[in-house]
Amino acid sequence: MITSPIRASLALACIFAALSSVTLAADTLPSDISTKGEAVLLQAHATGAQIYECKAGTDGKLGWIFREPVANLVVKGETVGHHYPGPSWQLKDGSTITGKVTAKHPGTSKEDIAWLMLDVVDHQGKGAFASVTTVQRINTRGGALSGACDMAGEEKAVPYSADYVFSGKSK
């Protein structure tokens, strides 16, 4: 369940995203996360938060562990879907995909989460995501959390924005 500090962080994410701008097009991506021979089927801007939980690591020390993303997917100013744990994405047409990370590229700054390449490992529905085989997360702003935490179970939401590029075989 999302707590009120997390809701507040989600609201800040909307403000944060308004200040962000797209910095790199999908066709000029770093080679470690670029697709080969796939068509871009949809590109959406996401605004939301990366949720972290304070947990003990293998060394027994408390630290922030990534738990889940929560974001809206926006195209031309309209919310077209959502991004949530899995990692999964769902569009208003009911089509849903789940991905598995296959490559990472560092974010632009230490405050920015990594850019990712994900292979789609599950499809549901027959909508726009039916032909998607890869997802790229690019142009990230924010979302990274570092530093110590004091109480196991504590949660923090860090506002972020990113562009998601959904590619596959065009019909």
Side-chain angles (χ1 to χ4, degrees):
M1 177 170 203
I2 297 177
T3 61
S4 55
I6 292 175
R7 283 192 197 116
S9 293
L10 289 173
L12 287 173
C14 293
I15 295 167
F16 180 77
L19 300 174
S20 299
S21 62
V22 172
T23 59
L24 194 61
D27 60 348
T28 58
L29 294 177
S31 62
D32 52 348
I33 62 164
S34 66
T35 61
K36 306 274 189 264
E38 292 188 337
V40 173
L41 303 176
L42 175 69
Q43 185 165 341
H45 186 71
T47 59
Q50 298 285 305
I51 312 297
Y52 295 85
E53 185 174 354
C54 183
K55 287 187 171 184
T58 55
D59 60 2
K61 294 181 182 177
L62 291 177
W64 292 109
I65 306 296
F66 173 72
R67 193 179 80 197
E68 63 187 301
V70 178
N72 290 324
L73 300 175
V74 178
V75 176
K76 297 180 183 174
E78 179 185 343
T79 298
V80 298
H82 302 283
H83 175 38
Y84 55 91
S88 297
W89 298 263
Q90 182 175 36
L91 295 177
K92 284 184 175 181
D93 68 9
S95 61
T96 303
I97 54 174
T98 300
K100 177 182 177 183
V101 175
T102 57
K104 291 183 180 186
H105 186 82
T108 306
S109 77
K110 66 179 182 166
E111 290 83 23
D112 303 331
I113 54 177
W115 295 18
L116 301 176
M117 167 65 81
L118 302 99
D119 285 341
V120 173
V121 296
D122 187 49
H123 289 85
Q124 295 179 7
K126 297 185 186 271
F129 278 161
S131 299
V132 173
T133 57
T134 60
V135 179
Q136 294 156 300
R137 179 176 75 189
I138 62 173
N139 301 326
T140 58
R141 297 284 182 259
L145 180 61
S146 61
C149 58
D150 300 322
M151 183 173 39
E154 180 182 4
E155 298 176 354
K156 276 201 179 176
V158 181
Y160 91 106
S161 67
D163 292 318
Y164 287 93
V165 180
F166 304 94
S167 300
K169 296 179 176 93
S170 57
K171 294 179 179 182

